[in-house]
Amino acid sequence: MKIALLPGDGIGPEIMAEAVKLIDFLVKEGESIETETALVGGAAVDAFDDPLPDQTLKLCLDSQAVLFGSIGGPQYDSLPRPKRPERGLLRLRKAMDLFANLRPAKVYDALADSSTLKKDVVAGLDMMIVRELTGDIYFGEPRGIHTNEQGLRVGVNTMIYDENEIRRVAHWGFQAAQKRRGMLCSVDKMNVLESTQLWRDVVIEVSRDYPDVKLTHMLVDNAAMQLIRQPQQFDVIVTGNLFGDILSDEASMLTGSIGLLPSASLNQSGQGLFEPIHGSAPDIAGKGIANPLAQILSLAMLFRYSLQRSDLAERIELAVEQVINQGVRTKDIARAGERVVSTSAMGDAVVNALQRQ
Ligand code: IPM
Ligand code: MG
């Protein structure tokens, strides 16, 4: 099994170190896992003046899976856009054709109190957002800022999908629902936007292949509201790149902390990139207080989706649940008065739980 490790910026390297502890432990148990580390994001801009250097891209394309930390930081925000860390990630997603982004949001019983929402609204929540990741307004042309004939500056982006892009991610949505509670909600804005009218039409066409899945449709503004009103109604949501970006951050807060949520980005051949959905959190970087669980759970998804090792995925997920049930808490998930552990102590606790299984 060959995994590329891209720690990135901010808290990325700290949380990656904890996932690596798990990999080292599994290797000691006898698994053959080969890893290679490369620079990406701001770290790569600093070293090579490029957020996605050729050698990093090549390593990723040659690996079965990429474990990605996080990228970005205020010191890079004024760089020209092609040099910005975020552009490196977008280029990598595009180059690997990682069109299907799975973002599960699950509330652990022991943490139902940590959400900013009332416990009875979020308790037991277990949903997944399937976000299209290589199209939409993120990549559409024309784009840019120019000056028009009247001398006014104009900012332009293009929201665009072709039917193939919609169809392939819709299949992922239906298949995810089949493995779960059999409900798929497709989110669009078809009352205003033509590109999302096509989205709805194509999702309905694809639904004919999945008579066992109950398909519903929701406008994105309503979906944003329903997610905090009654999130339990959702099993799987499938949506475009922009709406999925926004709704998945919203869904993450239902679980109490964005520091808990992993994600998988996959292409047609099962190769994938696995990353926490949180960012590089520059404000807490280097302090040893970041929560490594989203990174560790991303490693679990990597084993499940790209390496076909659901057994290892389940062991890691169980170990995380055990550690949470034991009351081990990083700052982001601790309630007033609870003892707080460091990033590294949280990683050690997960390794110990694995060892005891
Ligand atoms: C995410 C992030 C990225 C995105 C940024 C860092 C480009 O917000 O993965 O959700 O918008 O896709
Ligand atoms: Mg986002």
Side-chain angles (χ1 to χ4, degrees), residues 19 43 61 68 83 99 137 142 161 258 270 288 301 311-312 323 330 345:
L61 293 171
F68 193 97
K83 293 258 160 84
F99 66 89
I137 194 164
Y161 268 124
I258 197 168
M301 290 188 94
D311 57 324
L312 295 181
V323 161
T330 42

Side-chain angles (χ1 to χ4, degrees), residues 163-180:
E163 58 181 313
N164 289 339
E165 292 174 300
I166 302 170
R167 196 171 293 116
R168 62 183 188 169
V169 74
H171 280 289
W172 265 100
F174 283 101
Q175 285 163 22
Q178 276 181 326
K179 291 186 202 119
R180 297 169 49 96

Side-chain angles (χ1 to χ4, degrees), residues 103 131 138 245-246 248-249 277:
R103 298 192 161 188
R131 167 188 175 194
Y138 275 49
D245 184 26
I246 298 166
S248 59
D249 267 27
I277 92 151

